[in-house]
Amino acid sequence: MTMQAESTVAEPRVKPVETFRDDFTYSNSPEAIRRFPFPFPEDSYMYSVNIEPHNGGPPGSAYAPAFDIDEHYLSEIEERRKVLEEDPSRCTVLPHMMTAQWDTLELLMESLSTDYPQHFSLTREGDRWTWENRLLGIHDTFTFGDPETLPMEPFEYITRQVQGDFTLHDQRDDMLYMDGGMLTCQADWSLQFDLGMNFYEWHGPVPRAHEMGVFDRALKYLLNLQVGHPVRRLNWTMTVNPRMDTSPENYHKWGIDRATVTPENVGDKAHLRVELQALYRLPRSNAVLFSIRCYLISVNELATIPKWAKRFHRVLKTLPDDLADYKGFIDYRPIVVEYLSQFDDGEELAYGAAPE
Amino acid sequence: MSIPGIKSKPVYTGLTPDPGGCQHVLAGEGPGAEALLRLRRELAEGNDGMAPEASAVALFYTAGAGPDQGEELAEGGRDFPQPWRFPDTEGLCSALGDYLADSGMGVRLYVAGSEAFLWRVVATARDGVGISEAAIQMERCGPPARPVCCIHCKTTDPAVSTTVYQCPGCGLNLFVRDHFSRRLGVYQGVCVDAEAPGDVPEPEELDS
Amino acid sequence: MITSQQPSIPVRVTGIDQVTPSVKTFTLEHTEGIPLPCFSGGSHVVVTMKDAQGQVCHRNPYSLTSPPDDGRCYRISVRRDDAGRGGSLFMHERVGEGDFLDISAPVNLFPLNVLARRHVLIASGIGITPFLAQMHELRQRGVPYELHYQFRDDDGAPYRDAIAAREPTASFYESDQGEYLDPLAILRDQPLGTHVYVCGPAGLINDVSAAATKLGWPPRHVHSEAFTAPPVGEPFTVVCHRSEREIEVPGTASVLEALEGAGLEPACSCRGGACGECETRVLEGDIEHHDHFLSDDVKAANSRMMICVSRARTSRVVLDL
């Protein structure tokens, strides 16, 4: 089910815990910056059905493994634990999705132990499975299919050990319904509220995309997603401070951040937030697992790659107002654009999102 | 944050007899009685002489916040099914759930009342008994007040008539988004002055 | 974007059982001995058959009948159809134990609805196949269900004895003995939250749908295996507008098969007119639609076609390919 030879997957040098709140100690190493999944191959951005097969990528890149584990692993796992402690409903799965929960557990355990054998291992003896996560010091033996043998339901158990958000979608009546999820680092949408919604309702507020037929085409495509042939796409927005939990639930706490961006602090405060979204057909349940892996990079970190600074400047400058408004950064966009202009000499850039 | 064309916002149409149904269950609250009276008359008139037997029509009614039009529903004589009347929505839903649990696949459910009532009844029928939403019609009656759930403290106010309003749970001033959850039967209320505390716009009447 | 020519799974035939005079069951295992993906009840795989020269000669979809949570092997059942396009005959006459085949990953176009409170399964003859895996799944989940299985005679009743031994709620109807299932009687007193599934000839599907409609069932509670084998017809010419090629479609092949034979790789998945993957724009020509995917309006407009099952009424069609 995993499709990566381990040699192409970067060895994560996992940092000690950094914070995504309060004192915001999170930062990217130069290696992490170079492998950041920069989403802009061109100087302007518009919605499209930018879906491609998720079958690996350049060695060491975020696209190479099925589920990317990087230097922020411990920090993101700790942040997830804190969010769930404050609000356990951030992980909710409707009762009819139990088979999909086990599918998810199998997919994640198989993928991680194949891509990162130094950190994770899975031993299967019939239904008796032993899972070892050496990064977190977890060593559990359980019976596959019997939730009583795990400390919590299988979906929560495994997604507490993997970076990125996850949603589970049941497929019925030629439609996908979001019937479960683990959401602690989301870009301003609520699992509790959106739970049970169909594909169109869930994507409801996105401007332009409905009219462009983007969702019709994406849905038709996803309904035919096949086992063993996952697909991926990138999405992006901007976030003030390296804050993972930009949930609507806590908007009254973080919304104020948006008013704190100044020409002096914009380089460190404003972050490009990229979601590497991968979609998997799950075998037993016929459900779809959506993994939404979030990467944060400050404008100053991004500007260490000259091509990215130029390109991001042009994308932001030409982004239509309704999209900037929807993505929540229309008010401080001029400050970011002005700051980035110092890096942009107007040079023509080659097509592609790679650093050079 | 006010974005047109949100796809989750329900569109309510008037109740009309569904000739495909074999058993017609009507549930109403307060001023919803008028919609039920109209529907009951249309059902009795029938479509091409295919009027359902009186025994195939059942009526559940509560005055709710009023007005109480139960007496009007009871008029019409023996040819019309008589309403079962309840003091509140909880009592109505409990009896309706029991009734539907003994019903077959040909049931059509027609609901008329406030938006909070509509979705409370839908939850009873859909989640409790497994009726498909395709077999349910809704007509919103009375003032256009919405059930809204505060995204921050999860308190639901069943009848919010303005955006902005103050959450009865946490006291935050909330903007009412058109984003609607059919599972919870609520709109989403989001803090309106998070980015500029104290800068609270004047409340506007919700008109739909 | 992705092409639908997904890598296939290489399997070896490790067992063949003659379950009735005209039905054979094939047991398939991964050639490398590794587990096959688990699947959901109602799934099918597309089996690719190759002739002695290694050329693809048939690609047929078959329902998986083995337990869905057992990846050690898959089982498919094939009814011999002497009047068909040859795929089932190939499986019966040319495939033996130890032979190698390629199959697609499992795809489910006939899934159980997980919200249903009760399931009514109605099968005729070889239409029993998707239900074999589904009943396994339902037993495990503990959801109430009942099976109604109609067949003409012993030959048309694969797995009757196994089902009778395992399924106390199953009802059998042998039409040669004058026994017919009555969809109205079966559906009349089902409680709210029931879903009905039917797999068999078009006549049975129509009878069950008509009974459900008469009894007021919402359409989304009625499911049928929409799969159809590509029909045979008159030969015609396909003009591929973008690649500027002209390809002859013989009477016994589909447009898709003819294009593949000419070396093209159009997007496709189910090959049965159900999944929508091979939807193609029609620029010129009249279409004889055989799919279950396009709406009646689109079919009438002749603007699109499913090239896996639909054919031309005219001697020439121009497609946006």
Side-chain angles (χ1 to χ4, degrees):
Chain A
M1 207 161 298
T2 30
M3 57 250 117
Q4 274 318 294
E6 56 197 81
S7 59
T8 66
V9 173
E11 158 69 27
R13 268 175 282 175
V14 179
K15 291 203 224 173
V17 171
E18 297 175 325
T19 58
F20 299 97
R21 53 173 77 196
D22 306 324
D23 55 351
F24 296 109
T25 61
Y26 169 91
S27 69
N28 287 294
S29 69
E31 298 76 45
I33 292 172
R34 285 195 63 79
R35 70 192 297 282
F36 188 85
F38 189 72
F40 307 115
E42 298 177 274
D43 286 350
S44 64
Y45 170 80
M46 183 37 73
Y47 279 111
S48 61
V49 187
N50 53 339
I51 304 177
E52 62 178 9
H54 183 38
N55 55 3
S61 73
Y63 310 102
F67 300 93
D68 187 33
I69 300 296
D70 68 8
E71 65 179 20
H72 306 299
Y73 180 77
L74 292 177
S75 306
E76 292 184 30
I77 296 304
E78 172 59 15
E79 170 68 9
R80 167 155 295 167
R81 190 195 63 75
K82 283 181 184 160
V83 172
L84 288 168
E85 192 171 69
E86 291 162 6
D87 182 2
S89 73
R90 296 293 193 87
C91 180
T92 307
V93 186
L94 294 177
H96 60 268
M97 300 299 280
M98 187 49 88
T99 307
Q101 290 203 37
W102 287 107
D103 273 335
T104 304
L105 177 134
E106 178 185 48
L107 174 67
L108 288 172
M109 287 186 175
E110 288 285 359
S111 301
L112 291 177
S113 56
T114 304
D115 285 336
Y116 303 98
Q118 67 277 44
H119 297 309
F120 306 96
S121 59
L122 175 65
T123 315
R124 299 168 65 153
E125 288 169 26
D127 289 344
R128 288 301 280 175
W129 291 25
T130 298
W131 169 246
E132 197 174 350
N133 175 343
R134 289 178 278 276
L135 288 169
L136 296 178
I138 291 171
H139 189 288
D140 284 328
T141 297
F142 59 94
T143 304
F144 187 87
D146 181 1
E148 299 298 314
T149 60
L150 282 171
M152 60 193 85
E153 289 195 345
F155 180 80
E156 179 172 355
Y157 174 79
I158 193 59
T159 56
R160 272 179 182 266
Q161 302 179 43
V162 188
Q163 289 169 269
D165 284 340
F166 293 88
T167 55
L168 277 176
H169 302 256
D170 185 38
Q171 182 163 332
R172 51 182 192 270
D173 307 327
D174 295 324
M175 179 52 74
L176 292 171
Y177 294 87
M178 195 187 60
D179 286 347
M182 165 69 92
L183 235 68
T184 66
C185 48
Q186 72 269 43
D188 204 7
W189 63 280
S190 165
L191 172 70
Q192 262 297 303
F193 195 84
D194 289 3
L195 196 67
M197 285 189 184
N198 73 32
F199 192 75
Y200 294 113
E201 294 172 317
W202 177 45
H203 284 105
V206 182
R208 293 169 183 252
H210 284 285
E211 291 64 31
M212 290 168 62
V214 166
F215 294 131
D216 296 327
R217 275 175 283 147
L219 175 63
K220 182 187 154 196
Y221 189 81
L222 296 179
L223 290 173
N224 281 322
L225 195 62
Q226 289 194 19
V227 169
H229 302 286
V231 298
R232 68 183 172 222
R233 67 182 288 265
L234 294 174
N235 197 10
W236 70 280
T237 184
M238 291 194 72
T239 300
V240 179
N241 296 324
R243 188 187 291 277
M244 277 290 177
D245 176 26
T246 50
S247 58
E249 283 87 344
N250 285 331
Y251 171 63
H252 58 304
K253 298 175 186 163
W254 58 261
I256 186 82
D257 291 359
R258 288 177 174 167
T260 65
V261 180
T262 67
E264 291 70 39
N265 67 18
V266 59
D268 292 327
K269 244 190 195 305
H271 286 68
L272 172 61
R273 182 189 192 101
V274 172
E275 291 175 353
L276 172 51
Q277 307 176 343
L279 294 116
Y280 290 80
R281 170 73 62 194
L282 298 176
R284 297 172 182 78
S285 56
N286 201 38
V288 171
L289 175 71
F290 198 167
S291 94
I292 309 161
R293 175 75 158 80
C294 173
Y295 297 83
L296 285 168
I297 190 169
S298 73
V299 168
N300 276 343
E301 287 171 340
L302 185 131
T304 62
I305 309 285
K307 180 180 167 190
W308 289 356
K310 292 173 196 181
R311 178 146 280 159
F312 191 37
H313 174 243
R314 296 169 199 178
V315 167
L316 275 188
K317 204 170 152 180
T318 57
L319 189 74
D321 283 352
D322 55 353
L323 290 180
D325 188 25
Y326 169 68
K327 287 175 181 285
F329 57 78
I330 191 161
D331 288 344
Y332 63 89
R333 171 166 69 166
I335 303 176
V336 186
V337 171
E338 175 59 29
Y339 184 76
L340 283 170
S341 67
Q342 65 180 301
F343 304 107
D344 190 357
D345 57 5
E347 175 204 10
E348 196 172 317
L349 297 175
Y351 179 88
E356 279 86 31
Chain B
M1 216 182 298
S2 176
I3 294 162
I6 287 190
K7 305 298 177 197
S8 59
K9 187 173 187 290
V11 177
Y12 302 104
T13 52
L15 304 179
T16 52
D18 181 346
C22 301
Q23 199 184 350
H24 304 268
V25 180
L26 286 56
E29 175 206 40
E34 279 164 34
L36 298 194
L37 279 166
R38 195 189 65 234
L39 177 70
R40 190 179 63 172
R41 193 172 57 243
E42 289 174 11
L43 277 167
E45 284 165 2
N47 197 353
D48 303 329
M50 293 291 284
E53 308 243 334
S55 63
V57 180
L59 247 82
F60 294 76
Y61 182 74
T62 180
D68 187 349
Q69 294 176 286
E71 291 304 319
E72 291 164 53
L73 275 177
E75 287 167 13
R78 281 181 303 149
D79 291 343
F80 286 108
Q82 291 298 299
W84 285 306
R85 292 159 70 176
F86 301 89
D88 54 30
T89 303
E90 288 312 305
L92 182 150
C93 285
S94 169
L96 176 68
D98 291 345
Y99 182 87
L100 290 176
D102 291 332
S103 303
M105 285 295 298
V107 164
R108 293 297 181 276
L109 177 61
Y110 306 85
V111 197
S114 68
E115 199 163 15
F117 175 81
L118 301 182
W119 292 94
R120 178 72 187 80
V121 171
V122 167
T124 297
R126 178 193 61 199
D127 305 340
V129 193
I131 192 169
S132 140
E133 277 194 37
I136 304 176
Q137 288 185 33
M138 289 178 262
E139 181 167 332
R140 196 177 64 176
C141 304
R146 296 184 184 184
V148 184
C149 181
C150 170
I151 192 74
H152 311 293
C153 77
K154 301 186 167 84
T155 300
T156 293
D157 185 327
V160 173
S161 56
T162 60
T163 180
V164 170
Y165 78 102
Q166 191 175 33
C167 174
C170 62
L172 287 172
N173 290 297
L174 305 181
F175 171 87
V176 179
R177 294 182 67 203
D178 278 347
H179 198 34
F180 184 82
S181 162
R182 302 174 83 88
R183 180 179 72 97
L184 302 170
V186 292
Y187 292 87
Q188 195 177 62
V190 180
C191 181
V192 74
D193 58 340
E195 298 181 29
D199 187 3
V200 180
E202 283 299 308
E204 289 174 32
E205 293 290 323
L206 288 164
D207 52 9
S208 68
Chain C
M1 289 291 290
I2 301 182
T3 97
S4 276
Q5 302 301 320
Q6 309 277 18
S8 53
I9 303 173
V11 294
R12 196 165 56 90
V13 178
T14 57
I16 299 178
D17 295 309
Q18 188 86 44
V19 291
T20 76
S22 61
V23 177
K24 278 185 176 177
T25 291
F26 297 79
T27 302
L28 312 174
E29 293 179 30
H30 199 289
T31 52
E32 294 164 35
I34 58 178
L36 295 161
C38 295
F39 60 95
S40 51
S43 295
H44 70 270
V45 293
V46 175
V47 177
T48 300
M49 297 160 233
K50 291 181 181 163
D51 62 20
Q53 286 73 46
Q55 295 297 307
V56 173
C57 53
H58 301 284
R59 285 195 179 96
N60 281 14
Y62 295 108
S63 295
L64 293 172
T65 62
S66 43
D69 56 355
D70 186 350
R72 286 173 300 182
C73 67
Y74 287 161
R75 277 196 295 278
I76 55 171
S77 295
V78 180
R79 179 178 171 80
R80 181 191 173 105
D81 180 1
D82 292 305
R85 295 159 2 104
S88 70
L89 277 182
F90 186 97
M91 289 297 289
H92 270 254
E93 293 178 353
R94 306 276 295 277
V95 176
E97 282 191 29
D99 284 357
F100 295 97
L101 293 168
D102 283 328
I103 59 172
S104 69
V107 172
N108 200 342
L109 298 173
F110 190 49
L112 294 167
N113 183 306
V114 285
L115 294 179
R117 310 292 169 102
R118 180 176 184 81
H119 302 266
V120 176
L121 315 177
I122 298 178
S124 175
I126 194 69
I128 191 66
T129 51
F131 297 133
L132 294 172
Q134 288 183 335
M135 287 190 290
H136 190 90
E137 197 173 301
L138 290 169
R139 271 197 307 277
Q140 276 197 332
R141 288 186 359 219
V143 185
Y145 67 94
E146 61 190 62
L147 172 73
H148 299 268
Y149 184 13
Q150 178 170 292
F151 39 83
R152 199 174 53 242
D153 51 24
D154 285 347
D155 182 29
Y159 296 104
R160 175 178 54 179
D161 294 342
I163 293 168
R166 200 171 51 204
E167 306 288 342
T169 64
S171 304
F172 300 95
Y173 311 84
E174 189 167 350
S175 59
D176 271 4
Q177 303 295 316
E179 301 165 358
Y180 292 94
L181 61 78
D182 175 359
L184 271 175
I186 292 169
L187 299 184
R188 181 167 286 118
D189 291 322
Q190 297 293 347
L192 275 172
T194 306
H195 284 248
V196 63
Y197 307 80
V198 54
C199 187
L204 179 69
I205 293 173
N206 290 340
D207 288 352
V208 171
S209 299
T213 302
K214 185 163 195 267
L215 296 170
W217 287 48
R220 286 193 165 174
H221 286 245
V222 183
H223 311 266
S224 56
E225 176 67 289
F227 236 38
T228 43
V232 294
E234 296 296 316
F236 56 96
T237 305
V238 165
V239 179
C240 300
H241 180 69
R242 277 184 281 151
S243 54
E244 298 182 340
R245 294 190 55 178
E246 283 200 20
I247 291 154
E248 299 303 320
V249 181
T252 53
S254 67
V255 175
L256 174 63
E257 288 163 340
L259 295 176
E260 287 174 337
L264 300 177
E265 291 193 346
C268 67
S269 172
C270 77
R271 296 172 175 272
C275 77
E277 190 69 21
C278 71
E279 181 177 343
T280 302
R281 270 203 327 137
V282 178
L283 303 174
E284 266 182 66
D286 274 352
I287 305 303
E288 180 185 293
H289 296 282
H290 294 286
D291 65 279
H292 299 268
F293 182 81
L294 295 174
S295 68
D296 290 345
D297 291 349
V298 174
K299 284 180 181 172
N302 268 331
S303 57
R304 288 168 186 278
M305 75 179 291
M306 313 308 296
I307 56 174
C308 63
V309 289
S310 298
R311 305 186 65 83
R313 276 189 226 281
T314 40
S315 61
R316 181 174 174 276
V317 281
V318 182
L319 301 180
D320 186 20
L321 284 171

